[in-house]
Amino acid sequence: MKLLDKSFKPFVIMTTILVLVSIPLFYFVVVYIYTVDADQSLINNKLRVEDQLNHLHMHPRTAVIRIRLLNELDIGYQIISMDTFPAERGDRFYTAERFDQYSNSIRPYRYLETVIDIFDKEYLLKAEVDMEEYFDVIPYTTAVAGLFFFLILIGYYWINRSIARKVWRPFYKSIDELSNLNIQNGQTLSPIESDIEEFKKLSDNLLFYTNRSHSAYMQQKEFTENASHELQTPLAIIQSKAELLIQSNLTKEQFEIVDQINLAVNRMNRLNKNLLLLTKLENKQYLTNENVNLSDVVKETLELYQSNFESKNLSSYAEIKNSIIIKGNIALIETLINSLLTNATTHNFENGKIKVYLNSKSLIIQNTGNSTALDKNKIFKRFNKDNKNLAGSGLGLAICKEIVQLHDFKISYRMINDLHSFKITNFTPVTETVI
C-alpha cells in the first residue's frame, strides 16, 4: 500500500496546516463576535439611560440628582457635564483593564464614550461592560471547537483511507501477482474483480499482454530448442567431411579453405551447444541439490587453464579457502567457472594478470584488460560481445547469469584498480572446514 500511503501524505500535511490555521482564526472570530455583542449592549444601555433620564423625570433638577446618584453608585455608568469635560460627538469604543476592588483582581472591560442630551443639555456618558466572563468562555469554546474539528478531520481521513484501501485492493493484488509472475513457468494473472470500469480495462489489458508474452516466449524457446537439435546432425556431417578432406592430399590453398570451413563449423557447434544449454537452464532441467566442493572445482579448473595462461604469458594469483562445500550442480558450476576464466583469458592482454579469490561468502575472478569499464546493463545479455573478438559466441556471460539465477546466487561486475572484477555471492556453504 505504498502508493496509497504516499497519496495520503499531502492530505495529512494539508489537514495539519488547516487545523493550525483554523483554530487561531476561530479564536479571533469568536473574540470579534463577543466584542461586537458587548458594543451593541453598550449602545442599548446608552439609549436606555438617555431615554429614562429625559422622560421619567419631568424636572431637570430631578434628573441632575439622578445623575449624581448614578455617578456615586459606580455601577457601570458615569455621566459628566460637558462644561467640565468637553468632548466630540460620536461613539468611541475601546477595551482596557483595571483593578476591581470587589474581586480583588485586574479585569478587562469594554468602554463606550459618547455624548447624550438630557433636557437639551449635553453630557458625556462613559459606560462599561465587564468582559471577564467573555474572555473566560472564549478559550474553552475555542478548545472544544478545535477538538471537534480535529476529530472530524481524523474521522474523515480514516473513512477515506478505509474506502480507498477497499477500492484499490484489487489493483494491489494484481500488482503483487505481476511482480511475482514467472512467464517461463506458465503462470498467469487472476482477473481483477472490481465494479470500477478502469480496473476492469486494466485487468483485460494485463491478461492480454501477459498471455501474449508467454505465448511469444514459448514459441521462441521451442524454436531455439528445435533449431539446435536439427542443426546437430548437419553440423556433425560437415565437420566429419571437413576432417576427411584435411587428411587427403590437398593443395595449400585448398587446405586453407577447408581449415576455415572446419573452424566455422566448430564455432557453430559451440554456439549450438550453448543455445541448448540456455534452453535447458530456462526449463530448469538441472537439479541443484548436490554437495559441491567449490574449492576443489576452482583449483582443478585453474590447473586446466595454466596452459592457456602461459600461451598469453599471464601471471595468475589464487587465494582459495579449502573445503568450501555448497549445494548446487557440479556440472553447471564447472561450466560457470570455465566461462568466467575463459572470459578473463580471452579479453586479457599479453603479460596481463588474473586473480582468483574464494571464501565462504564469495568467489571473485579479476583480470586485466581494456582500461574502460564494461556496460553493466549489457554485459550479461546474449550475443553482447566485442566486435573485434569474433571467436566468441557472445553467450558465455549470459550462460553464467542463468546458472547463477538457477542456484539463487548473485553475480555482479565492477572495475576495481584497473581490474575487471566478477563477484559471485549469496551461496550458503554446507560445511566449512579449514584443512
Side-chain angles (χ1 to χ4, degrees):
M1 296 287 180
K2 290 183 179 180
L3 179 62
L4 188 62
D5 292 338
K6 288 182 179 179
S7 66
F8 273 98
K9 282 184 180 179
F11 176 83
V12 173
I13 294 172
M14 292 302 297
T15 300
T16 304
I17 295 173
L18 187 61
V19 169
L20 294 177
V21 172
S22 298
I23 292 177
L25 183 62
F26 177 83
Y27 173 82
F28 288 113
V29 169
V30 172
V31 169
Y32 173 77
I33 293 172
Y34 275 122
T35 302
V36 170
D37 183 68
D39 291 348
Q40 187 61 47
S41 177
L42 289 170
I43 290 292
N44 293 336
N45 290 340
K46 164 198 166 182
L47 296 174
R48 184 167 54 253
V49 168
E50 187 177 23
D51 182 71
Q52 289 180 353
L53 288 175
N54 279 304
H55 296 93
L56 295 180
H57 310 283
M58 302 307 295
H59 195 277
R61 182 178 178 81
T62 307
V64 171
I65 295 172
R66 294 290 184 180
I67 290 172
R68 187 181 302 117
L69 179 61
L70 285 174
N71 290 337
E72 291 176 354
L73 289 175
D74 191 18
I75 56 174
Y77 302 99
Q78 188 176 8
I79 302 175
I80 305 171
S81 173
M82 295 287 287
D83 296 336
T84 58
F85 195 88
E88 296 181 358
R89 280 190 171 272
D91 298 333
R92 188 171 75 90
F93 297 95
Y94 61 93
T95 303
E97 294 181 346
R98 68 177 174 84
F99 181 78
D100 183 74
Q101 60 181 348
Y102 298 106
S103 63
N104 195 30
S105 63
I106 297 176
R107 301 167 69 91
Y109 288 85
R110 185 70 174 171
Y111 291 95
L112 166 64
E113 291 185 358
T114 186
V115 176
I116 59 175
D117 294 317
I118 301 174
F119 291 102
D120 297 327
K121 185 177 181 181
E122 293 184 339
Y123 288 86
L124 175 66
L125 172 66
K126 296 180 70 175
E128 65 183 34
V129 173
D130 190 350
M131 297 289 287
E132 180 69 23
E133 293 182 359
Y134 291 109
F135 289 150
D136 283 344
V137 171
I138 289 173
Y140 295 108
T141 304
T142 303
V144 172
L147 177 62
F148 278 106
F149 186 66
F150 183 75
L151 291 176
I152 290 171
L153 288 176
I154 291 295
Y156 178 77
Y157 168 79
W158 283 110
I159 290 172
N160 278 272
R161 188 177 177 86
S162 60
I163 293 174
R165 283 182 180 275
K166 184 177 180 180
V167 170
W168 285 87
R169 188 177 294 117
F171 173 79
Y172 285 107
K173 181 182 177 182
S174 293
I175 291 294
D176 292 337
E177 287 186 9
L178 192 61
S179 61
N180 297 320
L181 183 66
N182 190 339
I183 295 177
Q184 298 177 2
N185 295 337
Q187 294 180 357
T188 58
L189 292 177
S190 301
I192 296 177
E193 297 179 0
S194 175
D195 296 331
I196 301 175
E197 188 65 28
E198 288 77 4
F199 284 170
K200 291 181 180 179
K201 291 181 179 180
L202 175 65
S203 176
D204 293 340
N205 282 285
L206 285 175
L207 290 172
F208 172 75
Y209 284 109
T210 52
N211 291 335
R212 192 168 75 170
S213 297
H214 174 68
S215 177
Y217 168 77
M218 294 302 296
Q219 291 175 8
Q220 179 185 2
K221 187 178 72 170
E222 185 178 354
F223 170 78
T224 303
E225 188 174 358
N226 292 339
S228 298
H229 281 294
E230 292 297 326
L231 284 172
Q232 281 183 336
T233 301
L235 286 175
I237 294 172
I238 294 172
Q239 187 173 23
S240 63
K241 298 298 183 183
E243 289 175 353
L244 287 174
L245 285 173
I246 289 174
Q247 295 174 8
S248 62
N249 295 324
L250 299 174
T251 64
K252 182 179 180 181
E253 184 179 353
Q254 291 173 336
F255 180 84
E256 290 176 354
I257 293 172
V258 175
D259 186 54
Q260 290 176 0
I261 293 173
N262 193 42
L263 290 174
V265 172
N266 286 333
R267 183 183 172 194
M268 289 184 69
N269 269 323
R270 291 196 300 272
L271 177 60
N272 192 53
K273 290 178 180 178
N274 287 337
L275 288 173
L276 279 174
L277 177 58
L278 280 171
T279 303
K280 291 180 179 179
L281 287 171
E282 290 174 345
N283 293 338
K284 301 187 184 300
Q285 294 179 233
Y286 292 94
L287 298 176
T288 58
N289 58 355
E290 301 177 70
N291 288 346
V292 180
N293 191 321
L294 187 58
S295 303
D296 291 346
V297 173
V298 174
K299 289 177 182 178
E300 291 169 2
T301 308
L302 279 172
E303 290 178 4
L304 293 174
Y305 271 79
Q306 286 304 314
S307 59
N308 293 4
F309 296 161
E310 292 172 1
S311 65
K312 295 186 72 170
N313 199 23
L314 301 176
S315 62
S316 61
Y317 172 80
E319 189 175 308
I320 301 171
K321 195 169 185 179
N322 292 325
S323 297
I324 302 296
I325 302 175
I326 63 173
K327 286 288 184 182
N329 184 291
I330 187 168
L332 292 180
I333 290 176
E334 287 176 349
T335 301
L336 171 64
I337 298 170
N338 270 305
S339 296
L340 290 175
L341 287 176
T342 299
N343 181 76
T345 305
T346 304
H347 297 280
N348 217 322
F349 49 69
E350 294 287 338
N351 302 316
K353 299 177 183 178
I354 290 181
K355 297 182 178 181
V356 180
Y357 302 90
L358 174 65
N359 56 39
S360 60
K361 295 183 179 180
S362 64
L363 169 64
I364 301 174
I365 297 179
Q366 298 177 329
N367 65 277
T368 50
N370 194 324
S371 58
T372 305
L374 303 176
D375 189 346
K376 294 181 180 180
N377 296 323
K378 297 180 179 179
I379 189 171
F380 294 109
K381 291 186 177 180
R382 298 179 185 184
F383 302 106
N384 176 58
K385 64 173 185 173
D386 189 348
N387 291 330
K388 296 178 182 179
N389 178 27
L390 299 177
S393 64
L395 294 175
L397 291 178
I399 290 173
C400 291
K401 182 72 176 291
E402 292 293 335
I403 294 174
V404 164
Q405 288 180 342
L406 183 66
H407 287 81
D408 292 327
F409 300 160
K410 292 181 180 179
I411 186 169
S412 60
Y413 164 81
R414 288 179 63 192
M415 191 78 170
I416 304 174
N417 298 327
D418 295 327
L419 293 175
H420 298 276
S421 178
F422 289 88
K423 184 177 182 180
I424 300 173
T425 57
N426 206 43
F427 47 76
T428 305
V430 177
T431 59
E432 181 178 337
T433 306
V434 179
I435 298 177

